Amino acid sequence: MAKSTDSRGPGSAPGRYRMRAAGLLFLGFMSLGIHAQSVAAEPDSPDEGVERFLLAEMRERGIPGLQIAVVQQGRIVLLRAYGVASVEHSVPVTSESVFPINSITKGFTGVAAMQLVTEGKLDLDAPASHYLDDLPASWRAVTVKQLFSHTSGLPDIVDDELRLLVDGDEAASWDKVRTLPLQAPAGERFAYNHTNYVLLGRIIDKLAGEPFTRFVTERQLQVAGMPATGYHDARDVVPHAVGMYRYVKAADGSRQLNTRYELWHPALLTATGINTTAEDLARWAIALQEGRLLDGEAALNTLWTPARLNDGSTAGFSRFINGYAIGWPTVERAEHRAIISGGGGRAVLAMYPADGLTVVILTNLVGASPVQFVEDVASFYIPGLERVGSGVDR
C-alpha cells in the first residue's frame, strides 16, 4: 500500500490524497487488489456510497482498474482510484494513471471550433466547402454543424474496426471515400461517422494556422492545467499509461481477459486521440464551465445545443443520449439536462450544468461501458435524478 501524502484523514485539504486497500476484485480466474485515492470527504457526504457502488460495478463487469473524479460547484470533491493499471505486472491505478478517452476527444475538437467561431474565423452554419475546396460536388452543401453532429450523410472513411479504408494510407482512403455514395441526404438522419471529424481537423488546421493538436494543447490543455494529457496511441511511450483490456471467448467457451492495442492514424485524432487522467479531465470541465476556454455563456450554449434534423427533431445514439451538439452527445429532458460523452466503451464525462455537477469515470476495460452507470453515480449528488435508460459510446 502506498503511503499517504496527507495522513490527517477526513477533513484534510482537498487535492491531497490517501491510499487505502478497498477489497478484492474477482476477474474470472484471478483476484486483484483494489486501492483507492481520495480527496478527503466532508461529513455526511455521498462519497462512501459511491465507492461501494463502484466496487460492486467493478466486480460485476470485471473491470481491472478505474478512476473517478466528481466536481461540485467548480471544485473537485472526490478523486479516487481503484484496481490495477497493469494486470500483467500488478501495478495499481493511482491518480496519475493515464487512460485513453477515445470519443470524448470530440468535445475538445468542438471547443476548438467554438474558439474559432468567437474569433470570427468560423461559421458553423456555413458549408464545409467554404473552407475546403477539394470536396466532391455531392458533399459541398454539408454544413460544419452537420459534420459535428453526425448528420452529414457522408460515407465513412473508416471500416468497422475503425481502420482507414486503405489501412494506414490517408491519401488513398481519401480518394476511395470520395467515390462512395452518400449514406443519406444532409440533415436527414443521425449516423456516426469519422469522415466528419477528418474534415473538421482540416478546417481547424487551416483556420488556426497550425496543426489542431497544437492548437488544442495551447488553447485548452495548457489553459486548464492538464500536464498529464496529450494525443497518443499504443505506439507511444506515455508515463503512467494503463494497460487496456477486453474480454473474449476462449476456446473452451470461458470468458478470457485479453490485452487490447489501439493505433490511430493522425487524421483520426480529432475524433479519438486524447489520453488523460480523471483529475485532468475534471480540471478541463471546470475551466470550460468557468469561461476560461470559451468567451461568454452564449458560446457554451451553442456548444451544447443539439443539432436539428430536416424534420425539426433532434437525433442521437439512443432514447437516452437523444441529442448531438458540437462534438457533444446530450440528454434532453425536462429536469437535470445532461451532457454525457462516452469513449471507447470504457470512459465517460457527464456534466449537469444546472446542477453544478460533473462526473468523470475512466476504466481500462473495453466494454465496461461506464456511460451505462454514470447516472447512478450522479444520483448520489443530485436528489431525485431518475435515469431514463442507457447510452452508447464509441
Side-chain angles (χ1 to χ4, degrees), residues 139-208:
W139 297 19
R140 290 177 187 166
V142 172
T143 68
V144 175
K145 185 179 292 184
Q146 287 168 337
L147 295 177
F148 266 114
S149 59
H150 298 292
T151 58
S152 68
L154 297 181
D156 206 337
I157 199 170
V158 302
D159 61 19
D160 290 342
E161 296 297 322
L162 301 184
R163 296 172 301 204
L164 291 174
L165 293 177
V166 181
D167 197 14
D169 190 330
E170 181 185 358
S173 297
W174 174 244
D175 288 342
K176 183 174 181 177
V177 76
R178 284 162 49 96
T179 68
L180 299 178
L182 296 178
Q183 295 182 349
E188 190 68 24
R189 61 183 174 90
F190 176 91
Y192 200 86
N193 184 308
H194 281 75
T195 305
N196 297 324
Y197 280 77
V198 171
L199 296 178
L200 289 167
R202 294 183 177 190
I203 291 172
I204 293 171
D205 285 352
K206 181 176 181 179
L207 299 183

Side-chain angles (χ1 to χ4, degrees), residues 65-90:
L66 180 149
Q67 281 180 348
I68 182 171
V70 177
V71 177
Q72 278 189 304
Q73 307 304 330
R75 173 175 170 264
I76 298 176
V77 297
L78 179 69
L79 182 65
R80 293 187 179 178
Y82 305 98
V84 291
S86 169
V87 173
E88 300 91 323
H89 303 291
S90 300

Side-chain angles (χ1 to χ4, degrees), residues 322-343:
N322 56 2
Y324 207 101
I326 310 302
W328 292 90
T330 66
V331 179
E332 303 300 315
R333 56 191 173 194
E335 294 184 313
H336 310 299
R337 178 176 183 263
I339 318 299
I340 302 182
S341 183

